[in-house]
Amino acid sequence: EIVLTQSPATLSLSPGERATLSCRASQSIFIYLAWYQQKPGQAPRLLIYDASNRATGIPARFSGSGSGTDFTLTISSLEPEDFAVYYCQQRSKWPLTFGGGTKVEIK
Amino acid sequence: QLQLQESGPGLVKPSETLALTCTVSGGSISSGTYCWGWIRQPPGKGLEWIGSVWYTGITYYNPSLESRVTFSVDTSKNQFSLKLTSVTAADTAVYYCARRYCSNDVCYFFDYWGQGSLVTVSS
């Protein structure tokens, strides 16, 4: 199965700062990667699909990039509601797999 | 607005069968434009895909769970269901149902999720 490794595990930043989250795949997944945001007690929310496409209603401060094995989620300027856990997920091969998550916390 | 709602027992005894149902409202489960999935999350941990099912009954399961899991679809009730046999404490998790959009035989990512149902395995 394809293993997704997210780094860092925790990112401590202040509101207004830029967040850069990484997801690395164990083999090429082309562009078939999504990013989700999860807040405590809530279901994940789709942010980015196929590496760089924002899902419906997602603010422009969220952007995704990458292809092959290396992907990045960037939040250009953190808003208070952006502090959460972020997961990547691949759809290139069965079984679908998720990364272990990056927690973005308030510094 | 599409909504998904998980239902089922919150407590299951070890070695017994976990059974959950996802009821879809605001859209038809029979549309070939979507497939439906189950994902779980142990307390304080990450997400694990359990499997996906189409309204036709075609299924894909995670190999790590394949020997114990079965999905079914009831189009008349707009529901799909999960059964997981021989559960242990390791199966304690929040179980989510979710939808994937499909087009031209390609299915994308989970764009709608249920709120999740906590299932605890304990005697």
Side-chain angles (χ1 to χ4, degrees):
Chain A
E1 76 176 40
I2 295 174
V3 176
L4 298 178
T5 303
Q6 291 189 239
S7 61
T10 304
L11 199 50
S12 298
L13 295 168
S14 301
E17 289 193 297
R18 182 184 188 89
T20 303
L21 289 67
S22 174
C23 178
R24 177 164 290 178
S26 58
Q27 60 184 271
S28 177
I29 57 172
F30 308 98
I31 61 164
Y32 304 138
L33 186 98
W35 291 94
Y36 298 86
Q37 176 193 68
Q38 187 179 35
K39 297 179 181 179
Q42 296 184 18
R45 177 176 71 144
L46 179 65
L47 299 176
I48 302 287
Y49 66 94
D50 286 355
S52 61
N53 299 285
R54 272 190 303 277
T56 303
I58 302 303
R61 64 180 181 274
F62 292 92
S63 64
S65 63
S67 64
T69 60
D70 291 305
F71 299 85
T72 301
L73 173 69
T74 302
I75 311 170
S76 59
S77 178
L78 283 164
E79 296 289 339
E81 62 268 27
D82 299 336
F83 291 93
V85 179
Y86 293 82
Y87 293 96
C88 56
Q89 181 233 318
Q90 64 83 21
R91 67 170 181 89
S92 178
K93 285 187 178 179
W94 303 105
L96 307 181
T97 51
F98 290 87
T102 290
K103 181 179 182 180
V104 178
E105 65 176 23
I106 299 176
K107 186 174 181 180
Chain B
Q1 175 77 353
L2 187 79
Q3 290 188 320
L4 292 81
Q5 179 68 58
E6 304 89 351
S7 59
L11 181 64
V12 181
K13 290 182 168 53
S15 79
E16 295 190 344
T17 296
L18 179 160
L20 291 171
T21 295
C22 182
T23 300
V24 178
S25 58
S28 173
I29 197 173
S30 300
S31 170
T33 308
Y34 306 110
C35 79
W36 309 91
W38 290 97
I39 301 101
R40 70 179 183 177
Q41 185 172 37
K45 296 188 178 181
L47 300 162
E48 179 182 31
W49 174 73
I50 300 171
S52 294
V53 61
W54 278 256
Y55 79 97
T56 55
I58 294 173
T59 55
Y60 283 91
Y61 299 129
N62 192 322
S64 67
L65 296 167
E66 188 166 17
S67 63
R68 298 194 292 130
V69 68
T70 303
F71 292 164
S72 60
V73 177
D74 187 337
T75 56
S76 67
K77 295 182 179 179
N78 227 31
Q79 295 175 334
F80 60 102
S81 299
L82 157 71
K83 287 188 178 179
L84 183 66
T85 62
S86 304
V87 296
T88 69
D91 295 309
T92 294
V94 175
Y95 286 76
Y96 295 101
C97 59
R99 185 191 84 169
R100 291 176 76 193
Y101 170 75
C102 304
S103 176
N104 297 325
D105 294 328
V106 175
C107 290
Y108 295 86
F109 296 96
F110 296 105
D111 57 356
Y112 280 90
W113 296 63
Q115 64 185 24
S117 178
L118 174 62
V119 179
T120 301
V121 178
S122 175
S123 55

